[in-house]
Amino acid sequence: MVLPRPRGPNRSTRIPAQPTMSIPACAPRTFPFIPLRRRSALWLAAVLLLAGACAAGSLRAATEEELNQRFAEANLKLQAKDYAEAIELYNDILEQEPKSDNVWINRAIAKAGLSDISGARVDLAMAISLNPESVEAYRYRAVLRFQAEDFAGSVADLDAAIRLVPDNAGFFGRRGEVHRRLENPGDALADFSRAIELEPGFVQARLHRAEIQREREDDTAAQADYDRVIELAPDTALAWKERGWIKFRRQDLAGALADGLKSRELQSKVADSFRLTGYAQFGLGDYPAAIATLTQAAELEKENAAYPLF
C-alpha cells in the first residue's frame, strides 16, 4: 500500500508573532513618580527601596506629593484604557518635571493606545535621551518598530535592552521573532535557544524553535520541543498537530492519528488537523473515514479544495 503524500503542514499555521510582540494595554511603572535627578546608582537604589522617599531636588515636598498623586492617577487611567485622560495628566506632570523618563514612557503607551504611533515613538525617544539605560523604553520602542515592520530598528532596540538586562528570556524571545521576519533562521534559533535556557518553561520560544528545526528537517529536535510544550501546556493545539505530522512522516500512523484528533478536539476548525487525521486514516486502511475527514478539510479551506491522496 502507498501512503498518501501530505502537502506538509499548512504554512498558514505558522506561529503568530503577536502574543509576544504587543504593548500591554496597561504597563505603568509600579514605583512612584521619580524625577530624573540621579546622583549615583546607589542613590537610585535607595530611591527605589524607600517608597515615597524620592529626592526632589529643588521641588518642594508638597509639589512632589502632588506629582506622585497625579502620576498614580494617570497610571490608573492608563490601566482602565482611558488613554486621553491619562495623557492629560502626564502632560501636567511633564510641564513641571520634564526630565522624568518614566512619565515619557507611560505617555507613549497611552498614545499608542490611541493609535498615535508617531507620537509614542517621539516620547520613547525622549525617554531614552533622558535615560540611555531605560530598558522599558527600548522594549516598547522595539514593539512599535516591529509593528511598523522596521525590523532592523526593532533588533537594535532589543540589542540595547539585552545589553542592559542580559538574563531576560523575553527579550531573547522577541529578538528571535524579529530575526524570523528578517529571514535569519540561524540568529533566530540561537535567540530562542537562549530564551529557553534562561526560562525552560517558555512555551512560545519552544514553538518557534521547533518550527525552525522542522524547516531544517531536524524532526528529532522539533519533536523534543513539541513534547515539552505538550507537557507544559497540554491545551496547545499547534504542538499536537505539528507533532502529529512528524509522526506521520516517520510512519507512526497510530500516533499521528491520535495527535491529529487531539488537535481537532482543541481547535475544531483547522483544516490542517483534518488533513493530518485523514492521511493517517488512509494509511491505516480506514478509507471511508479518510474520505469523510478529507472532505471536511476541503470544506474548511475552500481555496485548497483538492487534496491529492497519492
Side-chain angles (χ1 to χ4, degrees):
M1 179 188 68
V2 180
L3 292 179
R5 183 177 179 179
R7 301 174 66 180
N10 192 337
R11 293 304 93 202
S12 65
T13 62
R14 181 171 177 172
I15 305 160
Q18 181 65 18
T20 58
M21 291 296 298
S22 61
I23 292 182
C26 54
R29 247 54 53 220
T30 56
F31 46 86
F33 170 80
I34 303 172
L36 187 68
R37 293 190 176 150
R38 310 180 193 279
R39 271 62 170 182
S40 66
L42 181 61
W43 179 87
L44 178 57
V47 167
L48 294 174
L49 289 171
L50 300 175
C54 304
S58 61
L59 291 176
R60 293 180 296 103
T63 301
E64 182 165 343
E65 183 178 354
E66 267 185 19
L67 291 174
N68 278 320
Q69 289 174 349
R70 288 182 189 173
F71 192 53
E73 184 181 351
N75 291 344
L76 289 174
K77 297 290 186 183
L78 184 60
Q79 290 174 339
K81 300 184 181 182
D82 190 349
Y83 301 123
E85 289 198 25
I87 288 170
E88 288 299 319
L89 290 166
Y90 292 134
N91 290 344
D92 290 344
I93 296 169
L94 289 171
E95 284 180 7
Q96 297 184 62
E97 182 48 70
K99 293 186 176 181
S100 174
D101 58 298
N102 302 320
V103 183
W104 288 100
I105 293 170
N106 281 15
R107 192 175 75 170
I109 296 170
K111 287 182 175 180
L114 292 176
S115 299
D116 180 7
I117 303 305
S118 61
R121 291 180 66 164
V122 168
D123 281 0
L124 292 171
M126 177 63 75
I128 290 169
S129 70
L130 290 168
N131 178 14
E133 296 186 354
S134 178
V135 174
E136 291 295 287
Y138 287 118
R139 178 165 74 94
Y140 291 128
R141 192 170 69 176
V143 172
L144 294 181
R145 285 176 161 175
F146 179 90
Q147 292 171 345
E149 298 189 359
D150 176 10
F151 300 129
S154 187
V155 167
D157 280 338
L158 289 166
D159 287 346
I162 287 169
R163 281 195 298 271
L164 293 166
V165 187
D167 59 353
N168 186 296
F171 293 159
F172 282 98
R174 290 187 180 96
R175 194 173 69 178
E177 289 185 50
V178 185
H179 280 309
R180 288 286 278 157
R181 293 298 188 93
L182 289 169
E183 298 184 355
N184 297 328
D187 291 335
L189 186 63
D191 276 348
F192 292 134
S193 294
R194 179 59 178 154
I196 292 164
E197 180 183 341
L198 291 167
E199 188 179 320
F202 196 160
V203 167
Q204 197 72 9
R206 286 189 180 275
L207 288 171
H208 280 296
R209 186 172 72 172
E211 184 180 21
I212 296 172
Q213 291 162 338
R214 196 182 66 240
E215 290 172 357
R216 292 183 166 190
E217 299 185 355
D218 187 353
D219 281 351
T220 299
Q223 182 167 343
D225 271 334
Y226 290 132
D227 287 344
R228 185 64 178 135
V229 168
I230 288 168
E231 290 175 10
L232 293 166
D235 290 342
T236 307
L238 180 66
W240 290 96
K241 177 173 68 68
E242 298 300 346
R243 189 179 72 172
W245 280 115
I246 292 172
K247 290 179 177 180
F248 182 87
R249 286 193 294 274
R250 291 176 165 174
Q251 308 225 350
D252 176 5
L253 300 178
L257 179 60
D259 281 358
L261 290 171
K262 181 63 177 179
S263 176
R264 286 169 49 183
E265 175 188 324
L266 294 168
Q267 286 187 338
S268 61
K269 301 296 183 180
V270 178
D272 205 36
S273 297
F274 282 82
R275 283 197 292 275
L276 169 61
T277 54
Y279 289 142
Q281 287 165 339
F282 186 92
L284 291 167
D286 190 351
Y287 305 125
I291 292 170
T293 302
L294 291 172
T295 299
Q296 288 177 284
E299 291 171 353
L300 288 170
E301 196 171 78
K302 297 292 186 181
E303 65 272 22
N304 292 318
Y307 302 101
L309 294 181
F310 299 97

